[in-house]
Amino acid sequence: MDLPAIPDDVLAQPTRARLFAALDELRRPAGTDELAERLGLHPNGIRIHLDRLLEGGLVARRRV
């Protein structure tokens, strides 16, 4: 299990840090399916990580 070094550090969790880095590389909005494919994860897992990034103020959510 991935335990963060600092509980409040959203990016301490490795998968979440990879997701944030992927978004930074894309430099554009991306959907959960695209991100899941890019990282080799299930879309539901991506959603959970995106929710934590949203709570941490690191991403914004928009529907198209």
Side-chain angles (χ1 to χ4, degrees):
M1 176 160 77
D2 295 326
L3 296 175
I6 303 169
D8 293 339
D9 185 0
V10 176
L11 296 177
Q13 203 280 345
T15 302
R16 202 170 297 129
R18 283 181 48 222
L19 175 58
F20 188 73
L23 287 166
D24 185 52
E25 288 173 13
L26 286 171
R27 296 282 194 209
R28 62 172 173 76
T32 54
D33 289 335
E34 178 184 357
L35 293 168
E37 184 176 327
R38 185 178 186 95
L39 296 177
L41 300 170
H42 192 276
N44 288 339
I46 293 293
R47 286 183 191 95
I48 292 168
H49 290 298
L50 286 173
D51 285 344
R52 286 287 289 128
L53 291 172
L54 180 66
E55 290 170 11
L58 298 174
V59 297
R61 179 180 289 159
R62 288 186 291 195
R63 291 193 180 208
V64 181

